[in-house]
Amino acid sequence: MIDPHQMVFNAIRSVPDWPKPGITFRDITPVLQDPRTFRVLLDIFVYRYMRERLDLIAGIDARGFIVGSVLAYELKLGFVPVRKKGKLPFQTLAEEYSLEYGNASVEMHTDAVRPGQRVLLVDDLIATGGTMLAAAKLLQRLGANVVEAAAIIDLPELGGSKLLRENGASVFTVCE
Ligand code: PRP
Ligand code: HPA
Protein backbone atom coordinates (compact mmCIF):
# COMPACT_ATOMS: atom_id res chain seq x y z
CA MET A 1 0.00 0.00 0.00
CA ILE A 2 1.32 3.44 -0.88
CA ASP A 3 2.25 5.73 2.00
CA PRO A 4 -0.43 8.45 2.40
CA HIS A 5 2.17 11.25 2.52
CA GLN A 6 3.76 9.88 -0.68
CA MET A 7 0.34 9.73 -2.37
CA VAL A 8 -0.20 13.44 -1.65
CA PHE A 9 3.36 14.27 -2.72
CA ASN A 10 2.87 12.42 -6.02
CA ALA A 11 -0.29 14.39 -6.81
CA ILE A 12 1.27 17.85 -6.36
CA ARG A 13 1.91 19.46 -9.75
CA SER A 14 5.02 21.56 -10.27
CA VAL A 15 4.43 24.35 -12.75
CA PRO A 16 7.67 25.90 -14.03
CA ASP A 17 7.98 29.68 -14.46
CA TRP A 18 4.72 30.60 -12.71
CA PRO A 19 3.74 33.23 -11.63
CA LYS A 20 7.04 34.51 -13.03
CA PRO A 21 10.18 33.17 -14.71
CA GLY A 22 12.39 31.16 -12.37
CA ILE A 23 9.61 30.24 -9.89
CA THR A 24 8.34 26.66 -9.79
CA PHE A 25 4.81 26.79 -8.44
CA ARG A 26 3.62 23.82 -6.36
CA ASP A 27 0.01 23.40 -7.40
CA ILE A 28 -2.32 21.46 -5.07
CA THR A 29 -5.35 21.46 -7.39
CA PRO A 30 -4.70 17.84 -8.56
CA VAL A 31 -4.65 16.75 -4.89
CA LEU A 32 -8.10 18.29 -4.38
CA GLN A 33 -9.49 17.09 -7.71
CA ASP A 34 -8.92 13.37 -7.10
CA PRO A 35 -11.42 12.17 -4.46
CA ARG A 36 -9.09 9.50 -3.00
CA THR A 37 -6.12 11.84 -2.68
CA PHE A 38 -8.27 14.59 -1.21
CA ARG A 39 -9.61 12.14 1.39
CA VAL A 40 -6.13 10.77 2.18
CA LEU A 41 -4.86 14.33 2.68
CA LEU A 42 -7.69 15.26 5.02
CA ASP A 43 -7.36 11.94 6.89
CA ILE A 44 -3.71 12.76 7.63
CA PHE A 45 -4.81 15.99 9.30
CA VAL A 46 -7.84 14.42 11.00
CA TYR A 47 -5.76 11.62 12.58
CA ARG A 48 -3.11 14.09 13.71
CA TYR A 49 -5.57 16.43 15.44
CA MET A 50 -8.52 14.22 16.50
CA ARG A 51 -7.09 13.74 20.00
CA GLU A 52 -5.80 17.32 20.33
CA ARG A 53 -7.84 19.70 22.45
CA LEU A 54 -8.67 22.38 19.86
CA ASP A 55 -11.28 25.12 19.91
CA LEU A 56 -11.01 26.52 16.38
CA ILE A 57 -9.37 26.13 12.99
CA ALA A 58 -7.96 29.31 11.39
CA GLY A 59 -7.46 28.97 7.64
CA ILE A 60 -5.31 31.31 5.54
CA ASP A 61 -6.67 32.98 2.38
CA ALA A 62 -7.14 31.29 -0.01
CA ARG A 63 -6.06 27.66 -0.18
CA GLY A 64 -5.98 27.33 3.60
CA PHE A 65 -9.76 27.78 3.50
CA ILE A 66 -10.22 24.53 1.56
CA VAL A 67 -8.35 22.21 3.90
CA GLY A 68 -9.15 24.20 7.03
CA SER A 69 -12.91 24.23 6.59
CA VAL A 70 -13.17 20.51 5.83
CA LEU A 71 -10.98 19.77 8.83
CA ALA A 72 -13.09 22.00 11.07
CA TYR A 73 -16.25 20.20 9.91
CA GLU A 74 -14.76 16.76 10.50
CA LEU A 75 -13.38 17.67 13.96
CA LYS A 76 -16.66 19.43 14.85
CA LEU A 77 -14.89 22.77 15.35
CA GLY A 78 -15.56 26.31 14.17
CA PHE A 79 -13.60 27.89 11.33
CA VAL A 80 -12.24 31.45 11.17
CA PRO A 81 -10.62 33.06 8.13
CA VAL A 82 -7.30 34.88 8.03
CA ARG A 83 -7.77 37.11 5.00
CA LYS A 84 -5.75 39.32 2.72
CA LYS A 85 -6.15 43.05 3.36
CA GLY A 86 -9.53 44.67 2.78
CA LYS A 87 -11.69 41.55 2.49
CA LEU A 88 -13.28 41.33 5.94
CA PRO A 89 -16.36 43.49 6.62
CA PHE A 90 -16.33 43.86 10.42
CA GLN A 91 -13.69 45.36 12.78
CA THR A 92 -10.28 43.93 11.94
CA LEU A 93 -6.78 43.58 13.28
CA ALA A 94 -3.94 43.53 10.73
CA GLU A 95 -0.41 42.20 10.65
CA GLU A 96 2.09 43.16 7.95
CA TYR A 97 4.64 40.83 6.42
CA SER A 98 7.23 41.35 3.73
CA LEU A 99 7.13 40.01 0.20
CA GLU A 100 9.96 39.94 -2.33
CA TYR A 101 8.97 43.49 -3.33
CA GLY A 102 7.17 45.50 -0.65
CA ASN A 103 4.71 44.48 2.03
CA ALA A 104 1.41 42.68 2.35
CA SER A 105 -0.90 42.19 5.28
CA VAL A 106 -3.33 39.68 6.65
CA GLU A 107 -6.38 40.50 8.73
CA MET A 108 -8.77 38.85 11.14
CA HIS A 109 -12.00 39.98 12.71
CA THR A 110 -11.33 41.25 16.22
CA ASP A 111 -13.99 38.87 17.59
CA ALA A 112 -12.75 35.82 15.65
CA VAL A 113 -11.18 34.18 18.71
CA ARG A 114 -11.54 34.54 22.45
CA PRO A 115 -8.51 34.80 24.73
CA GLY A 116 -7.17 31.41 25.68
CA GLN A 117 -8.78 29.52 22.79
CA ARG A 118 -6.63 26.78 21.31
CA VAL A 119 -6.34 27.38 17.58
CA LEU A 120 -4.85 25.33 14.74
CA LEU A 121 -3.51 27.46 11.88
CA VAL A 122 -3.82 25.90 8.40
CA ASP A 123 -2.49 26.81 4.94
CA ASP A 124 -1.48 24.98 1.76
CA LEU A 125 2.21 25.84 1.76
CA ILE A 126 5.04 27.34 3.79
CA ALA A 127 7.64 29.14 1.67
CA THR A 128 9.40 32.02 3.50
CA GLY A 129 6.96 31.57 6.38
CA GLY A 130 5.98 35.25 6.30
CA THR A 131 2.27 34.60 5.83
CA MET A 132 2.02 31.91 8.52
CA LEU A 133 4.10 33.95 10.98
CA ALA A 134 1.93 37.06 10.45
CA ALA A 135 -1.21 34.95 10.94
CA ALA A 136 0.23 33.42 14.13
CA LYS A 137 1.07 36.90 15.46
CA LEU A 138 -2.48 38.08 14.74
CA LEU A 139 -3.93 35.14 16.62
CA GLN A 140 -1.58 35.76 19.53
CA ARG A 141 -2.54 39.46 19.63
CA LEU A 142 -6.15 38.31 19.97
CA GLY A 143 -5.10 36.16 22.93
CA ALA A 144 -5.27 32.80 21.19
CA ASN A 145 -2.99 29.88 21.89
CA VAL A 146 -1.63 28.74 18.49
CA VAL A 147 -1.33 24.99 18.97
CA GLU A 148 0.38 24.30 15.63
CA ALA A 149 0.94 25.73 12.16
CA ALA A 150 -0.07 23.04 9.66
CA ALA A 151 0.38 22.96 5.89
CA ILE A 152 0.36 20.46 3.05
CA ILE A 153 3.77 21.49 1.70
CA ASP A 154 6.97 22.83 3.20
CA LEU A 155 9.63 24.35 0.96
CA PRO A 156 12.51 23.91 3.45
CA GLU A 157 15.12 25.66 1.30
CA LEU A 158 13.13 28.90 1.75
CA GLY A 159 13.49 28.65 5.53
CA GLY A 160 9.88 29.30 6.53
CA SER A 161 9.33 26.30 8.78
CA LYS A 162 12.68 26.99 10.48
CA LEU A 163 11.68 30.64 11.02
CA LEU A 164 8.36 29.60 12.50
CA ARG A 165 10.03 27.14 14.87
CA GLU A 166 12.57 29.80 15.88
CA ASN A 167 9.59 31.97 16.79
CA GLY A 168 8.25 29.27 19.07
CA ALA A 169 5.67 27.69 16.78
CA SER A 170 5.12 23.99 16.38
CA VAL A 171 4.99 23.15 12.65
CA PHE A 172 3.49 20.15 10.82
CA THR A 173 3.62 19.59 7.06
CA VAL A 174 2.51 16.59 5.03
CA CYS A 175 5.42 16.71 2.57
CA GLU A 176 8.50 18.65 1.53
C1 PRP B 1 0.84 31.52 -0.97
C2 PRP B 1 0.51 30.30 -0.13
C3 PRP B 1 0.78 30.77 1.26
C4 PRP B 1 1.92 31.75 1.08
C5 PRP B 1 3.22 31.11 1.44
O1 PRP B 1 -0.25 32.37 -1.01
O2 PRP B 1 -0.82 29.87 -0.33
O3 PRP B 1 -0.35 31.43 1.83
O4 PRP B 1 1.95 32.12 -0.30
O5 PRP B 1 4.30 31.98 1.24
P1 PRP B 1 5.23 32.50 2.42
O6 PRP B 1 5.52 31.31 3.29
O7 PRP B 1 6.47 32.97 1.70
O8 PRP B 1 4.52 33.58 3.12
P2 PRP B 1 -0.22 33.75 -1.81
O9 PRP B 1 0.33 34.83 -0.93
O10 PRP B 1 0.49 33.50 -3.11
O11 PRP B 1 -1.72 34.11 -2.01
P3 PRP B 1 -2.96 33.39 -2.76
O12 PRP B 1 -3.54 32.44 -1.75
O13 PRP B 1 -3.87 34.52 -3.03
O14 PRP B 1 -2.44 32.69 -3.98
N1 HPA C 1 2.62 27.26 -4.37
C1 HPA C 1 1.68 27.91 -3.65
N2 HPA C 1 1.94 29.00 -2.96
C2 HPA C 1 3.19 29.47 -2.97
C3 HPA C 1 4.20 28.85 -3.68
C4 HPA C 1 3.91 27.68 -4.41
O1 HPA C 1 4.78 27.06 -5.05
N3 HPA C 1 5.35 29.54 -3.47
C5 HPA C 1 5.03 30.56 -2.65
N4 HPA C 1 3.74 30.52 -2.34
Side-chain angles (χ1 to χ4, degrees):
M1 200 183 80
I2 184 165
D3 171 61
H5 294 248
Q6 189 65 46
M7 188 170 166
V8 173
F9 180 92
N10 292 348
I12 294 162
R13 173 163 54 197
S14 295
V15 182
D17 299 318
W18 202 90
K20 38 187 181 183
I23 304 283
T24 300
F25 191 83
R26 312 297 172 174
D27 173 21
I28 63 158
T29 62
V31 178
L32 310 175
Q33 189 177 349
D34 178 67
R36 286 161 305 174
T37 319
F38 190 29
R39 180 163 291 275
V40 162
L41 171 68
L42 262 301
D43 284 347
I44 292 170
F45 287 117
V46 169
Y47 286 123
R48 183 170 179 85
Y49 298 111
M50 62 194 295
R51 275 173 228 91
E52 189 75 62
R53 260 188 324 108
L54 294 171
D55 295 308
L56 273 178
I57 306 285
I60 300 182
D61 193 349
R63 288 172 290 273
F65 294 171
I66 301 166
V67 175
S69 58
V70 176
L71 187 58
Y73 176 82
E74 190 59 31
L75 296 177
K76 299 186 172 66
L77 299 169
F79 175 88
V80 290
V82 179
R83 295 220 64 178
K84 299 283 161 58
K85 191 183 176 71
K87 298 286 187 182
L88 289 169
F90 185 61
Q91 283 173 9
T92 56
L93 204 61
E95 188 73 41
E96 280 213 352
Y97 58 101
S98 45
L99 296 173
E100 199 176 352
Y101 305 108
N103 292 324
S105 55
V106 282
E107 296 182 342
M108 290 186 76
H109 277 151
T110 50
D111 64 353
V113 297
R114 289 191 305 279
Q117 282 194 305
R118 292 171 56 79
V119 180
L120 176 71
L121 190 50
V122 179
D123 202 357
D124 65 326
L125 177 141
I126 301 171
T128 67
T131 310
M132 201 67 113
L133 187 59
K137 284 181 181 166
L138 262 186
L139 283 163
Q140 282 161 355
R141 282 167 63 197
L142 292 171
N145 178 351
V146 180
V147 172
E148 194 155 76
I152 305 169
I153 306 165
D154 181 26
L155 302 179
E157 68 278 16
L158 295 182
S161 48
K162 182 165 177 276
L163 175 75
L164 285 160
R165 289 189 178 106
E166 283 166 0
N167 278 272
S170 171
V171 179
F172 170 73
T173 54
V174 175
C175 45
E176 294 188 349

